[in-house]
């Protein structure tokens, strides 16, 4: 009985964790198969504009899904959205870099990643479909 | 002025060699902007306050000092080429249309580590140097005047720069060099001079890792032309005295002349922040071989404490000359010099020495402020600055009659800043 209870609890927890898990994805035809956390940070924080193989990268933000966006940056660089917004204001208005393009829905995001060879985006793992490829999983 | 414009054109042509521009569907145009509505309440009715020498000073209450609006266009032709233009409308000493253009440059990315820009850019000398007009982007209602006022006279350069960036250990390193020229019109108690700086060179390096950032910068800025200052009038007055009656006149003129002189600026900065605390400090040394600009140290320390959407902060800032005021060598009119001429020479000496004293900057400010993140695009701030200005050293203030004793002045600043 106890074993069944524990197994059920673990199954339930894994479901919750998966629902809460965020992944970074690219176009399924992108030759990049994996990125490190450092490489993801360098792209989403505007330091590099190419993938490690030298191909141009186009990052996307989930604009309307603020909870997902908040969790992504908290896990990636441990900063809240207010600090991320200030950071990007500094980069944008100093002319150094532009922030990721903001997309208003998960459905539109998947469409943009499918259409854009150099796309890089984040979304809940549960939203991943066959049109994209996972290259990093945020713990 | 024409020379460096030709250089910019040559650099743009060079950047274009051997590259293929892809037009049509690859072009991305992004527009954005920022604005601040702000007020100051200066406790002094006789000493005009301004955040830097390019902005007209105000006494009493005013909305003019900090209120501004900026617009920017980014045109990405492809992954290698981008053009950026930014205009900032605010109250300025120099109302020439070109001065409202904050940035206008073309960038060529060379792989992931290198980039070259040509056009008008901000000089990368201190933490806020590239976004000082964007109140949303930093903590304070007002950057410390002691550190930012003087050096922000050289906030832009028309020329070119090269950037190198790379991962280094657990952090990220950036190295930038810029070369070019700039022209500024400033407001000082000694007039509103227009200064041309040619052959301007800056180098900066930044390293940031995790939650902290360290930066160092250097600026060399020689003066090409200098007009509109009281020193011009003194120059004219000195020239009216025959040199036989004032043997020291030529030497004095050489020393008071800003043209051909240069300044060197050395800056260091460090900041660190976590979810709750933020600490930032910068220190600078300015060395000038012009007698009217005393060598000085300037710096500040800022600490902030964040609780949810509110951040309380404090700043201590100081600027202090490292040398005594230059005084003109005493005149030695030969026997037989007419009394009227002796009186004239004495008057010019007195006026020059007074001007040299009043051009100095020596003051300390303690500030307290709070920032409220109203929402994702709007912030509100209020800040109280209490400044003690040392006797006669009112170089950052504008006055018809400069006090010869120390003063304590309060300035309250409040503003709301937005990005869009």
């Amino acid at each position: 009985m106890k074993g069944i209870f524990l197994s059920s609890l673990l199954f339930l927890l894994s479901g919750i964790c998966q629902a809460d898990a965020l992944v970074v994805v690219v176009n399924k035809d992108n030759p990049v198969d994996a990125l490190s956390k450092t490489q993801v940070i360098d792209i989403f924080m505007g330091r590099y504009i190419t993938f490690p193989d030298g191909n141009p990268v186009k990052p996307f933000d989930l604009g309307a899904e603020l909870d997902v966006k908040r969790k992504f940056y908290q896990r990636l660089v441990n900063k809240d959205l207010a600090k991320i917004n200030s950071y990007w204001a500094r980069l944008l208005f100093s002319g150094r870099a532009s922030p990721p393009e903001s997309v208003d829905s998960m459905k539109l995001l998947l469409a943009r990643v499918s259409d854009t060879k150099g796309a890089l985006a984040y979304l809940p793992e549960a939203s991943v479909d066959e049109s994209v490829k996972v290259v990093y999983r945020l713990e | 002025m024409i020379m460096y414009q030709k250089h910019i054109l040559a650099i743009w042509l060079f950047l274009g060699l051997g590259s293929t521009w892809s037009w049509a569907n690859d072009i991305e145009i992004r527009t954005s902007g920022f604005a601040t509505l702000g007020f100051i309440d200066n406790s002094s009715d006789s000493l005009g306050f301004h955040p830097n020498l390019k902005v007209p000073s105000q006494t009493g209450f005013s909305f003019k000092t900090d209120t501004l609006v900026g617009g920017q266009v980014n045109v990405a032709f492809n992954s290698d080429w981008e053009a950026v233009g930014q205009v900032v409308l605010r109250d300025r000493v120099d109302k020439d249309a070109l001065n409202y253009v904050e940035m206008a440059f073309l960038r060529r990315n060379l792989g992931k580590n290198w980039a070259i820009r040509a056009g008008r850019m901000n000089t990368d000398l201190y933490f806020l140097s590239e976004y000082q007009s964007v109140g949303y982007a930093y903590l304070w209602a007002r950057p410390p005047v002691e550190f930012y006022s003087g050096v922000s006279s050289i906030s832009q350069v028309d020329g070119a720069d090269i950037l190198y960036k790379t991962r280094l250990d657990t952090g990220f390193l950036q190295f930038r060099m810029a070369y070019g020229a700039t022209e500024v019109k400033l407001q000082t108690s000694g007039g509103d001079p227009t200064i041309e700086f040619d052959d301007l060179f800056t180098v900066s390096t930044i390293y940031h890792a995790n939650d902290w950032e360290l930066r160092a910068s250097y600026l060399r800025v020689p003066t090409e032309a200098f007009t509109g200052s009281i020193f011009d009038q003194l120059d004219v007055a000195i020239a009216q005295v025959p040199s036989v009656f004032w043997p020291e006149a030529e030497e004095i003129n050489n020393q008071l002349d800003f043209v051909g002189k240069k300044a060197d600026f050395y800056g260091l900065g460090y900041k660190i922040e976590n979810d709750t605390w933020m600490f930032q400090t910068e220190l600078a040394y300015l060395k000038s071989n012009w007698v009217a600009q005393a060598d000085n140290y300037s710096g500040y320390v800022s600490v902030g404490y964040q609780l949810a959407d509110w951040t309380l902060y404090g700043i201590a800032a100081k600027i202090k000359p490292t040398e005594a005021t230059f005084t003109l060598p005493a005149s030695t009119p030969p026997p037989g010099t007419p009394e009227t001429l002796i009186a004239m020479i004495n008057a010019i000496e007195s006026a020059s020495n007074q001007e040299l004293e009043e051009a100095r900057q020596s003051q300390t400010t303690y500030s307290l402020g709070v920032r409220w993140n109203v929402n994702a695009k709007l912030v509100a701030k209020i800040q109280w600055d209490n400044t003690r200005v040392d006797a006669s050293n009112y170089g950052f203030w504008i006055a018809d009659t400069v006090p010869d004793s120390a003063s304590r002045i309060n300035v309250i600043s409040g503003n709301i800043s937005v990005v869009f």
Side-chain angles (χ1 to χ4, degrees), chain A residues 38 42 47-50 56 58 78-80 82-83 85-86 89-90 92-96 98-99, chain B residues 28 30 32-34 72 74 86 103 107 109 112 130-131 136-137 165-167 172 174 208 273 306 371:
Chain A
T38 300
D42 285 344
R47 296 167 188 164
Y48 286 148
I49 57 170
T50 66
K58 184 166 178 60
N78 194 28
K79 291 192 189 306
D80 60 32
K83 288 197 164 67
N85 291 339
S86 287
R90 294 195 289 273
L92 173 63
F93 295 117
S94 63
R96 289 198 202 177
S98 294
Chain B
E28 291 182 5
R30 186 186 298 218
S32 53
F34 51 90
Q72 179 167 315
N74 291 59
Q86 184 188 102
M103 294 191 295
R107 172 172 41 233
N109 295 310
K112 72 173 187 176
E130 296 183 294
Y131 50 89
Y136 177 93
K165 53 186 177 177
T166 185
R167 267 272 158 195
F172 203 82
Q174 286 183 190
H208 52 95
E273 64 178 71
Q306 182 175 349
R371 167 179 165 134

Side-chain angles (χ1 to χ4, degrees), chain B residues 295-298 318-322 361-363 390 393:
Chain B
D295 297 350
N296 64 57
Y297 278 108
S298 61
K318 190 177 188 68
I319 183 167
K320 189 112 183 115
T322 60
Q361 305 110 10
S362 181
Q363 62 181 58
D390 295 336
N393 286 195

Side-chain angles (χ1 to χ4, degrees), chain A residues 58-76:
Chain A
K58 184 166 178 60
F60 290 93
D61 258 337
L62 265 171
E65 305 276 343
L66 279 180
D67 192 49
V68 176
K69 183 176 178 180
R70 179 187 58 77
K71 284 179 187 169
F72 174 72
Y73 284 105
Q74 194 67 49
R75 294 179 193 176
L76 187 70

Side-chain angles (χ1 to χ4, degrees), chain B residues 267-342:
Chain B
L268 272 179
Y270 173 78
K271 64 178 176 181
I272 185 168
E273 64 178 71
N274 58 25
D275 291 341
T276 311
W277 291 97
M278 48 207 76
F279 173 84
Q280 182 167 314
T281 183
E282 290 186 90
L283 178 67
Y285 175 59
L286 178 72
K287 182 163 180 58
S288 168
N289 61 359
W290 185 41
V291 296
Q293 175 59 65
D295 297 350
N296 64 57
Y297 278 108
S298 61
Y300 68 88
V301 173
S302 168
V303 178
Y305 176 76
Q306 182 175 349
L307 191 62
D309 294 327
W310 298 81
T311 306
L312 179 67
Y313 62 87
I315 314 171
K318 190 177 188 68
I319 183 167
K320 189 112 183 115
T322 60
E323 54 190 0
T325 308
F326 177 83
T327 52
L328 302 188
S331 59
T332 54
T337 301
E339 287 299 319
T340 50
L341 268 181
I342 292 176

